[in-house]
Amino acid sequence: MHMASNISEKVDYFQLKSVGEKHIVISVPSRKPDLVLCRVSKRLSINHAAQTVKTYLHHILRFLNYLERIPNSVHPVWNVEQQLLLTLVQSFFIDEMGCAFKSAKFNREARIVNTSSVSIHTVSNFLTAIRVLYRELFFLNKYDIQEPLKMEAKRLQESSRLFSLGEQLKSGEPENPRRMPLKSGVEPGFQHQDHYKETDNYYICSGSEWQPKVLDDPDFPNHVWKAGNNFQWRLREQVVARLLFETGARISEICSLTLSDWLGLGGKNQAYSVNKGSHGNRAKELIWSKGTTKLIYKYIDSERYYSDPERLKVSKILSDKINPELLNAPLFLNRYGRSYTSQTFRALYWKPALTKYGMYATPHQCRHWFVTKHIRQIYEEANSYSLDNPEVRSRLNQLISYMKWKQGWKMVETYNHYLSKTNIMLMQDKLHEALDLSFSGKVTTSLNIKENEKLISMNSSLLDDIFNQVDS
């Protein structure tokens, strides 16, 4: 069922009013706060970061405004039975996002959302926002089902059983034959050809599995620097760009730095920082180079000084006599003396500069570049690409601690999966180089016996690593 022809003209029935990190949902007809949605907003603020809450509320209100435009819609608009809700979500995808659908082969009731005019990220965020909305409504006793976008266990099992039975009928095999495990690779007819795990979700994003944008190009920072110079970035943008590459922090974390964050670790090459999901708490520490510290000093005494209503210079910030309240000011200011935002950096400086240079990348890819280069360096300095190597494991633990990854080793394994092929190539290059020296006779004439034995041992270790990577 598709309702596109029944939708009235676009009018917002709900609007979001934000005061700092607090969000109030206003009912436009009554011009009063909607008490239920305001309670939902308040609960979201307890469990999620401020920007995440704003994103969720944007998607929630967009969907609810869509429901309000449907003739004869029930009130409140979210209080519809599950089957009708699923139909409305699908209609929203078609009308508002231009998405198409196909049935999942492994589950006849699930629908795979194929995106075209919007990104997978947007679709995924929308689905998460609607799930969160109904979870909170259930908690507030305003809806009967906690997860209306998910199937009941019995329904999922029945759908999966029908899929398996259909495949068996196609192949002409009995319903319960003795089988080899799927990972054996000898059961191709029973592999899920859609490459999706069995799920209880009614809607699944096509290709929604997250993959890191692995950047291993040593010239990437250089290209960004040239793009900035060509666009005539000011000192502020140069400092922010260097911090992106040197700290591995998110652009939002860098732009939210305060003078207190920086001074709290000595006012040199370190600062406290918020982390994703830390609810504004300074949960991690950033480290950068001494060269960037000099640029920060220069920026504070020049560009920032003329934008700062308090006219603070480095000497005054570092002095003991400064009023502590002044240190709550942002490290980076716009020309009006207010906080310099990540949106401003992206829209007015980063994107135009890289576009003019003929290059496409996002600030977040600097973070992926940072992680990729560090993992690569750890492997190379340890002369091993095995996660079982004590030195590799110890240094990767340090990286996990610095990045403050909640998923820890899961993140390392994700990056490691995409680095494994190039790891093998690099190990082979090192091995070939060592063997060339050995075959040419240069090793035995220039190294003593102990050093020669050490090289042979290293080559053996490299071979073990290569075979282990290939086998896995």
Side-chain angles (χ1 to χ4, degrees):
M1 179 182 176
H2 177 45
M3 303 182 176
S5 59
N6 298 328
I7 302 297
S8 61
E9 63 180 59
K10 289 194 174 183
V11 177
D12 283 346
Y13 292 84
F14 297 104
Q15 289 183 349
L16 188 65
K17 300 293 182 183
S18 299
V19 181
E21 294 186 357
K22 294 183 178 179
H23 307 289
I24 301 172
V25 180
I26 304 294
S27 173
V28 175
S30 66
R31 297 184 179 180
K32 295 180 180 179
D34 185 288
L35 297 181
V36 174
L37 293 179
C38 284
R39 289 175 69 188
V40 169
S41 173
K42 184 177 180 180
R43 280 184 52 78
L44 290 178
S45 300
I46 297 172
N47 300 317
H48 302 280
Q51 188 57 45
T52 303
V53 173
K54 198 169 183 178
T55 300
Y56 284 167
L57 289 174
H58 166 77
H59 288 297
I60 288 169
L61 295 192
R62 188 180 172 191
F63 179 62
L64 295 181
N65 282 326
Y66 174 83
L67 298 187
E68 283 281 5
R69 295 196 300 272
I70 298 174
N72 303 318
S73 57
V74 298
H75 287 274
V77 286
W78 59 77
N79 195 18
V80 294
E81 63 170 0
Q82 183 183 22
Q83 200 57 45
L84 178 56
L85 176 64
L86 295 172
T87 302
L88 291 170
V89 169
Q90 184 164 329
S91 294
F92 178 87
F93 273 131
I94 296 170
D95 293 338
E96 300 292 315
M97 294 189 178
C99 296
F101 293 85
K102 68 176 182 178
S103 298
K105 291 182 180 179
F106 59 88
N107 189 327
R108 294 184 176 183
E109 295 195 53
R111 296 290 179 269
I112 296 173
V113 185
N114 287 318
T115 61
S116 55
S117 57
V118 294
S119 68
I120 291 171
H121 186 66
T122 300
V123 172
S124 178
N125 276 347
F126 169 76
L127 286 171
T128 303
I130 301 305
R131 291 189 192 107
V132 167
L133 167 66
Y134 280 93
R135 200 176 300 149
E136 298 301 337
L137 289 172
F138 176 81
F139 178 85
L140 296 171
N141 295 319
K142 299 297 180 181
Y143 199 76
D144 296 333
I145 304 174
Q146 185 174 0
E147 295 279 3
L149 298 189
K150 289 181 178 288
M151 299 180 198
E152 297 176 2
K154 287 184 179 179
R155 197 165 185 173
L156 174 63
Q157 290 171 4
E158 178 64 14
S159 182
S160 298
R161 190 189 71 80
L162 289 173
F163 166 76
S164 298
L165 184 58
E167 293 296 309
Q168 290 158 5
L169 291 173
K170 286 180 188 177
S171 63
E173 295 186 7
E175 184 173 351
N176 294 305
R178 295 182 65 183
R179 295 196 171 280
M180 294 289 287
L182 285 176
K183 66 181 180 180
S184 68
V186 299
E187 301 282 357
F190 286 80
Q191 299 272 8
H192 290 169
Q193 296 177 11
D194 292 68
H195 304 291
Y196 297 95
K197 292 180 181 178
E198 184 177 289
T199 175
D200 56 356
N201 291 321
Y202 277 103
Y203 294 112
I204 309 153
C205 290
S206 176
S208 60
E209 182 182 355
W210 179 82
Q211 296 181 3
K213 306 295 187 295
V214 176
L215 285 170
D216 211 12
D217 183 1
D219 289 329
F220 179 44
N222 187 36
H223 288 306
V224 171
W225 198 251
K226 285 181 179 178
N229 287 337
N230 290 344
F231 196 71
Q232 296 183 334
W233 274 353
R234 300 175 68 193
L235 190 55
R236 177 185 58 193
E237 283 68 55
Q238 293 176 24
V239 173
V240 170
R242 286 184 65 138
L243 288 175
L244 282 171
F245 283 107
E246 292 183 5
T247 66
R250 301 173 179 87
I251 180 61
S252 59
E253 295 167 358
I254 291 171
C255 289
S256 66
L257 290 173
T258 65
L259 294 175
S260 178
D261 294 333
W262 178 53
L263 198 60
L265 287 174
K268 293 182 180 180
N269 67 326
Q270 297 181 64
Y272 292 114
S273 167
V274 296
N275 190 34
K276 186 176 181 181
S278 67
H279 304 287
N281 297 322
R282 269 45 192 173
K284 69 179 182 181
E285 300 175 10
L286 305 181
I287 304 172
W288 56 81
S289 69
K290 292 180 180 178
T292 298
T293 300
K294 291 179 181 178
L295 288 181
I296 291 174
Y297 285 176
K298 187 177 178 181
Y299 163 68
I300 292 174
D301 284 347
S302 56
E303 289 178 17
R304 190 187 184 282
Y305 175 80
Y306 295 109
S307 299
D308 184 8
E310 302 296 334
R311 292 292 190 267
L312 296 177
K313 286 200 169 186
V314 171
S315 56
K316 187 174 181 179
I317 292 171
L318 296 179
S319 72
D320 297 331
K321 297 179 181 180
I322 188 170
N323 183 349
E325 292 184 2
L326 297 179
L327 297 177
N328 293 327
L331 176 60
F332 299 104
L333 298 176
N334 62 20
R335 62 178 178 172
Y336 302 109
R338 294 192 287 269
S339 178
Y340 179 64
T341 66
S342 57
Q343 291 89 340
T344 299
F345 176 75
R346 284 193 192 96
L348 300 184
Y349 299 98
W350 177 276
K351 188 175 180 180
L354 269 63
T355 301
K356 184 179 178 181
Y357 188 74
M359 176 181 176
Y360 176 79
T362 65
H364 198 72
Q365 285 177 289
C366 301
R367 179 176 171 86
H368 292 307
W369 181 89
F370 175 90
V371 173
T372 306
K373 295 302 290 183
H374 271 66
I375 293 178
R376 173 83 69 216
Q377 184 178 351
I378 289 169
Y379 287 146
E380 290 179 353
E381 291 182 358
N383 284 321
S384 173
Y385 292 85
S386 171
L387 294 178
D388 295 327
N389 181 288
E391 183 182 349
V392 169
R393 201 157 187 88
S394 173
R395 293 184 62 182
L396 286 175
N397 270 321
Q398 293 172 16
L399 178 63
I400 291 169
S401 177
Y402 174 78
M403 299 299 292
K404 286 291 183 287
W405 284 329
K406 292 181 180 178
Q407 294 182 321
W409 280 95
K410 205 173 203 180
M411 291 293 292
V412 171
E413 289 167 2
T414 305
Y415 276 96
N416 196 57
H417 172 73
Y418 291 96
L419 286 169
S420 59
K421 292 183 180 178
T422 46
N423 286 346
I424 293 170
M425 293 173 65
L426 282 170
M427 287 188 289
Q428 287 175 320
D429 287 342
K430 283 188 176 183
L431 177 61
H432 296 162
E433 185 180 342
L435 289 174
D436 284 342
L437 287 172
S438 180
F439 293 148
S440 65
K442 294 179 181 178
V443 173
T444 52
T445 57
S446 59
L447 299 176
N448 60 36
I449 294 174
K450 287 186 178 180
E451 289 173 331
N452 209 8
E453 289 176 348
K454 184 179 178 182
L455 179 63
I456 293 169
S457 175
M458 184 188 77
N459 290 345
S460 176
S461 175
L462 285 170
L463 278 172
D464 288 342
D465 282 344
I466 290 173
F467 292 142
N468 289 336
Q469 289 274 0
V470 172
D471 288 342
S472 60

